């Protein structure tokens, strides 16, 4: 085995001290930002060693975010899948209910952690990018909670399709700047946030919303989101005294997935499946960087990217604005290459079908992002035995998506 | 002596002129490059367009998009460089751009193509020294300078790392920000250039936000080179395929101011 990372027999020791996950990750930023990235890493190491930091983080997650989130056995969804399966098939489907968090998604876990870091560093202004608006809402929320000014960059196209979240951010006191450069979506919002940051390095902290970007962001976002997997692992053991057979989560940048997966990576009997957005299909417009991309360098890290032969970044497409990104977090790129995690994809249509199925069987309106995971769950559950267990991350609620879904279903509201 | 070192040894500070390759189309760039040389540019900086130019301001962003919309490919850029080399055997040409287009087919592939095209140096915005284990070595192995960037945030503890492996010249980004927006305070430039020159024998060229002949002259009094980019790219945006003459006239005004500035000091 040539990969030294694997010699330790652990998948949980990444990244190395340069922020590399195998050949992925790293710190590909302009020189102006480099000293700041190094400062951030130093401050994060200090915070990790400081029990008061963990205590404040845990306290806010419990009393402000509402953690732990429930672990829920989806009995009627399981029964519905079994009804259409071979006898003896149809795994039990469980959900980690991160859509019940304050602000309605897993994004807040990371924002709490990062704003505490920003305060430690004495930064007085917060910026962030957002796609679906969930990370923007979560960032605006923690900025209101801690009294810091907040600027959110959002692709002009996403501003159009996520109006409820734009209004929420404004209610919370954030300034929302529609980005009209490039393709007007998430990657362009990230470019614009980086441009703001480079011009305001002295007072500004950039709260990146997914487990991507220059080191140490992929690591610290993963660590803050790992509360999902740590809780789920303990809850599974407490409830049924066993671990799940398969974990499933949707992937845009991949923060909810890495948060669920990471605490289980060294449990050899737990399989994992990340679900990318296949949009209109992998042969057409999609956002599945692992399935349809190649390794490259964008937004501070080396990872799989949708790109052409000249290295120009391609436009992603997904019905879910939160998955509409042409890259993926570098740890997922590494986990794919090592084979520890399997990756698949679900189309817009499959996600819409899964969205409606969950509404009707469980009385839960999921966001379009986890609807991709649910689509994969319904396929996988049919192939698995009745005594097996799937645990999927329900990483966001669907209130923000009802207009998009209505339009896709041809309903006027 | 290389073409680059010669350009910084002419007895006056070098004017480094930037233009985006393939803007507004791949056949437009040759005449614009000729106009830069004719106007008095000492070093040509040819921008490689990228879909996501996150260190650039609106002027160069839109130039990148115009170029890509016109279908400019990496092969086109290398062909533009090679044709320039044939027309101007002694004028140094530096490619500037982002990591992904430069490394897409491998650092060695890119470095070899640069050598074939007669490229003298490469500036890569988003490969800091910490990540430079393939592009820098590949370029140096092909006799091409890797031109490093120093910024207002590059402190003296970090500077040796930036200088390690740097050659050709050192590019001082005088503003913590993006291209073409604000201009730096002259005093801060003077202080920074003095600090950099104490640490390296490489020529120091100063860029970001330089627009007028007066600004260029002020920088020329303290630095070895002045980089002008967004102002040229804006002329290309305004005049399109007829940009060569206005670009030539503008470069002439900058070159005159730079040469006069150093004479005043002599």
């Amino acid at each position: 085995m040539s990969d030294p990372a694997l010699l330790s027999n652990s998948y949980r020791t990444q990244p190395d001290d340069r922020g590399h996950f195998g050949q992925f990750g790293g710190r590909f930023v302009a020189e102006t930002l480099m000293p700041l990235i190094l400062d951030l890493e130093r401050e994060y190491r200090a915070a990790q060693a400081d029990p008061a930091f963990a205590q404040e983080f845990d306290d806010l997650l419990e009393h402000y975010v509402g953690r732990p989130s429930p672990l829920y056995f989806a009995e009627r969804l399981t029964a519905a899948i079994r009804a259409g399966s071979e006898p003896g098939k149809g795994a039990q489907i469980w959900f980690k209910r991160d859509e019940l968090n304050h602000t309605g998604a897993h994004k807040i876990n990371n924002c709490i952690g990062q704003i505490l870091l920003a305060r430690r560093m004495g930064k007085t202004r917060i910026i962030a990018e957002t796609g679906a608006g969930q990370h923007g809402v979560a960032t605006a929320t923690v900025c209101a909670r801690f009294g810091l000014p907040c600027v959110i960059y959002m692709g002009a196209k996403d501003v159009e399709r996520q109006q409820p979240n734009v209004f929420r951010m404004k209610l919370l006191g954030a300034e929302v700047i529609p980005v009209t450069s490039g393709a007007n979506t998430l990657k362009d919002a990230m470019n614009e946030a980086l441009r703001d940051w480079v011009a305001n390095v002295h007072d500004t902290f950039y709260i990146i919303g997914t487990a991507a970007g220059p080191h140490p962001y992929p690591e610290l976002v993963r660590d803050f989101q790992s509360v999902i997997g740590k809780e789920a692992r303990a809850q599974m053991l407490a409830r049924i005294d066993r671990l799940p057979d398969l974990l499933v989560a949707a992937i845009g940048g991949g923060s909810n997935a890495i948060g669920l997966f990471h605490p289980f990576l060294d449990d050899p009997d737990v399989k994992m499946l990340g679900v990318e957005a296949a949009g209109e299909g992998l042969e057409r417009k999609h956002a599945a960087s692992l399935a349809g991309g190649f390794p490259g360098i964008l937004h501070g890290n080396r990872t799989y990217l949708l790109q052409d032969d000249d290295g120009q970044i391609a436009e992603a497409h997904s019905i879910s604005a939160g998955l509409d990104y042409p890259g993926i977090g570098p740890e997922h790129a590494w986990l794919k290459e090592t084979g520890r995690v399997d990756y698949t994809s679900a189309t817009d249509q499959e996600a819409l079908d899964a969205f409606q199925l969950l509404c009707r069987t469980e009385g839960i309106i999921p966001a379009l992002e986890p609807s991709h995971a649910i689509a994969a769950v319904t396929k996988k559950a049919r192939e698995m035995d009745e005594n097996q267990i799937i645990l999927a991350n329900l990483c966001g609620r669907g209130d923000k998506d009802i207009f998009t879904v209505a339009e896709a279903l041809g309903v006027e509201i | 002596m290389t073409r680059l070192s010669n350009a910084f040894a002419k007895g006056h500070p070098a004017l480094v002129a930037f233009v985006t390759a393939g803007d507004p189309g791949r056949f437009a760039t040759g005449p614009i490059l000729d106009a830069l040389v004719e106007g008095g540019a000492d070093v040509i900086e040819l921008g490689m367009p990228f879909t996501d130019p996150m260190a650039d301001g609106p002027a160069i962003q839109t130039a990148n998009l115009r170029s890509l919309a016109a279908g400019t490919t990496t092969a086109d850029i290398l062909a533009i460089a090679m044709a320039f080399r044939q027309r101007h055997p002694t004028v140094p040409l530096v490619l500037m751009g982002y990591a992904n287009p430069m490394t897409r087919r491998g650092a060695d592939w890119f470095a070899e193509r640069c050598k074939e095209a007669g490229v003298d140096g490469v500036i890569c915005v988003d490969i800091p020294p910490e990540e430079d284990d393939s592009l820098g070595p590949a370029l140096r192995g092909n006799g091409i300078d890797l031109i490093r960037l120093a910024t207002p945030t590059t402190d003296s503890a970090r500077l040796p790392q930036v200088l390690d492996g740097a050659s050709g010249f050192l590019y001082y980004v005088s503003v913590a920000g993006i291209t073409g927006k604000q201009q730096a305070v002259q005093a801060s430039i003077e202080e920074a250039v003095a600090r950099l020159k104490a640490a390296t024998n490489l020529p120091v060229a100063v860029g970001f936000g330089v627009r007028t002949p007066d600004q260029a002259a002020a920088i020329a009094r303290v630095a070895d080179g002045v980089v002008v980019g967004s102002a040229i790219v804006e002329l290309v945006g305004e005049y399109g395929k007829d940009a060569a003459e206005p670009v030539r006239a503008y470069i002439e005004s900058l070159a005159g101011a730079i040469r006069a500035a150093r004479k005043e000091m002599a």
Side-chain angles (χ1 to χ4, degrees):
Chain A
M1 190 74 52
S2 60
D3 190 340
L6 294 182
L7 295 178
S8 65
N9 285 323
S10 173
Y11 288 92
R12 304 185 63 225
T13 57
Q14 300 285 307
D16 67 16
D17 56 8
R18 293 169 62 212
H20 288 212
F21 302 84
Q23 64 154 317
F24 301 106
R27 290 178 280 221
F28 293 89
V29 295
E31 173 61 23
T32 311
L33 289 177
M34 203 56 215
L36 195 67
I37 294 285
L38 295 169
D39 276 353
L40 174 60
E41 187 185 358
R42 271 190 293 276
E43 196 62 43
Y44 183 53
R45 297 290 170 241
Q48 284 176 306
D50 179 0
F53 183 83
Q55 199 177 5
E56 191 174 10
F57 179 66
D58 292 346
D59 185 78
L60 283 160
L61 286 189
E62 181 180 349
H63 300 293
Y64 188 65
V65 175
R67 301 205 74 94
S69 68
L71 182 77
Y72 171 71
F73 173 46
E75 198 178 336
R76 286 213 344 118
L77 177 63
T78 301
I81 298 299
R82 283 180 181 168
S85 305
E86 303 278 310
K89 297 287 181 185
Q92 293 179 33
I93 300 166
W94 293 67
F95 288 117
K96 180 64 174 159
R97 302 283 309 271
D98 255 55
E99 99 281 12
L100 294 176
N101 291 338
H102 179 42
T103 73
H106 69 291
K107 293 290 185 187
I108 189 90
N109 304 327
N110 166 50
C111 289
I112 295 278
Q114 287 199 46
I115 203 155
L116 293 180
L117 277 179
R119 280 159 53 87
R120 280 180 77 98
M121 295 178 80
K123 302 295 181 186
T124 54
R125 175 176 176 267
I126 301 293
I127 59 170
E129 85 295 337
T130 196
Q134 291 303 98
H135 175 59
V137 167
T139 303
T141 296
V142 297
C143 287
R145 167 66 182 73
F146 287 98
L148 292 177
C150 176
V151 175
I152 304 291
Y153 290 95
M154 187 168 186
K157 197 162 122 191
D158 293 333
V159 169
E160 283 304 308
R161 58 180 168 176
Q162 301 289 343
Q163 276 297 323
N165 272 345
V166 173
F167 185 57
R168 278 186 193 101
M169 287 183 263
K170 289 180 178 169
L171 284 174
L172 292 160
E175 181 186 356
V176 180
I177 301 185
V179 175
T180 53
S181 63
N184 305 346
T185 58
L186 179 55
K187 86 176 169 73
D188 309 291
M190 200 150 178
N191 290 336
E192 210 57 33
L194 284 165
R195 290 181 187 119
D196 178 312
W197 199 25
V198 82
N200 296 287
V201 279
H202 296 294
D203 67 348
T204 297
F205 190 99
Y206 180 11
I207 298 188
I208 293 183
T210 192
H215 176 67
Y217 281 102
E219 178 188 344
L220 65 85
V221 173
R222 173 200 73 199
D223 292 348
F224 294 140
Q225 292 294 3
S226 287
V227 65
I228 300 169
K230 284 181 203 157
E231 283 177 7
R233 198 172 181 285
Q235 287 167 321
M236 270 282 161
L237 291 173
R239 292 273 294 277
I240 55 170
D241 197 27
R242 58 164 292 196
L243 295 177
D245 298 285
L246 177 68
L247 304 175
V248 183
I251 297 193
S255 72
N256 94 82
I258 202 71
L260 177 66
F261 295 168
H262 196 260
F264 292 92
L265 283 175
D266 288 338
D267 294 310
D269 295 332
V270 179
K271 292 192 167 65
M272 303 178 195
L273 182 65
V275 187
E276 297 190 289
E280 297 175 359
L282 292 179
E283 304 308 314
R284 303 180 64 188
K285 293 192 294 178
H286 64 87
S289 328
L290 290 177
F294 302 92
I297 297 166
L298 182 70
H299 294 152
N301 55 181
R302 177 188 292 279
T303 189
Y304 277 83
L305 301 171
L306 299 179
Q307 56 178 318
D308 71 11
D309 291 344
D310 277 344
Q312 305 296 348
I313 307 303
E315 296 306 332
H317 166 79
S318 170
I319 190 170
S320 150
L323 304 182
D324 202 346
Y325 180 69
I328 183 166
E331 193 160 12
H332 286 294
W334 178 75
L335 288 168
K336 175 197 159 79
E337 288 217 338
T338 60
R340 177 64 187 94
V341 177
D342 291 323
Y343 294 87
T344 184
S345 60
T347 63
D348 289 350
Q349 188 57 54
E350 289 168 330
L352 277 169
D353 293 345
F355 175 99
Q356 296 172 84
L357 179 66
L358 194 71
C359 289
R360 290 192 304 259
T361 56
E362 295 292 343
I364 296 172
I365 301 177
L368 282 169
E369 291 80 15
S371 296
H372 288 72
I374 298 161
V377 164
T378 60
K379 283 188 196 167
K380 279 284 166 188
R382 283 191 183 91
E383 300 164 3
M384 291 166 64
D385 294 339
E386 277 186 347
N387 60 358
Q388 290 189 295
I389 292 176
I390 297 177
L391 169 60
N393 196 17
L394 207 47
C395 63
R397 67 177 82 130
D399 310 38
K400 70 182 172 60
D401 290 320
I402 55 169
F403 302 102
T404 306
V405 172
E407 197 188 323
L409 298 178
V411 178
E412 258 187 63
I413 46 177
Chain B
M1 292 291 274
T2 63
R3 277 187 289 258
L4 264 177
S5 59
N6 278 328
F8 285 96
K10 290 181 175 174
H12 61 79
L15 173 58
V16 182
F18 172 95
V19 68
T20 300
D23 171 31
R26 67 196 150 111
F27 299 113
T29 304
I32 294 171
L33 296 182
D34 293 345
L36 295 176
V37 175
E38 210 183 306
D42 302 292
V43 179
I44 303 300
E45 205 186 308
L46 186 61
M48 296 177 64
F50 182 42
T51 40
D52 295 80
M54 56 276 208
D56 284 300
I60 296 179
Q61 282 175 45
T62 49
N64 277 254
L65 293 179
R66 283 194 301 264
S67 173
L68 293 173
T72 306
T73 63
T74 301
D76 293 332
I77 298 162
L78 292 165
I80 289 168
M82 189 179 283
F84 176 85
R85 178 55 58 236
Q86 283 159 4
R87 293 196 306 280
H88 304 279
T90 62
V91 182
L93 184 140
V94 168
L95 288 180
M96 176 163 189
Y98 291 83
N100 203 49
M102 289 185 182
T103 59
R104 176 70 174 93
R105 295 177 177 88
D108 287 326
W109 182 91
F110 180 67
E112 285 158 19
R113 295 297 91 72
C114 283
K115 186 182 181 181
E116 282 170 17
V119 168
D120 299 283
V122 168
I123 303 172
C124 182
V125 174
D126 51 348
I127 298 190
E130 282 82 350
E131 298 291 350
D132 192 25
D133 45 18
S134 73
L135 184 62
L139 291 169
R140 285 188 286 274
N142 283 280
I144 295 165
D145 289 313
L146 174 78
I147 292 145
R148 284 267 171 77
L149 302 145
T151 72
T153 60
T154 309
D155 59 23
S156 44
R158 188 173 159 69
L159 188 55
Q161 207 176 349
V162 171
L163 292 170
D164 185 27
S167 62
F169 64 94
L170 183 64
Y171 187 143
Y172 179 62
V173 173
S174 61
V175 175
I178 52 179
T179 53
K181 293 289 263 193
Q182 326 97 299
Q183 69 181 83
V185 180
Q186 180 66 18
S188 77
I189 294 177
E190 288 173 17
E191 188 193 318
V193 171
R195 188 164 61 87
L196 297 173
K197 290 198 71 74
T200 180
N201 292 322
L202 289 175
V204 176
V206 176
F208 273 50
V210 184
R211 190 166 283 275
T212 68
D214 284 351
Q215 278 174 280
I219 292 170
R221 287 185 194 104
V222 296
D224 304 305
V226 182
V227 188
V228 179
S230 294
I232 301 171
V233 164
E234 280 169 16
L235 286 174
V236 176
E238 187 178 347
Y239 293 96
K241 58 181 172 32
D242 302 320
E245 178 48 29
V247 165
R248 190 201 56 76
Y250 172 63
I251 293 297
E252 205 169 72
S253 70
L254 294 173
I258 287 172
R259 290 169 199 199
R262 192 51 74 92
K263 272 193 203 122
E264 288 164 24
M265 298 179 66

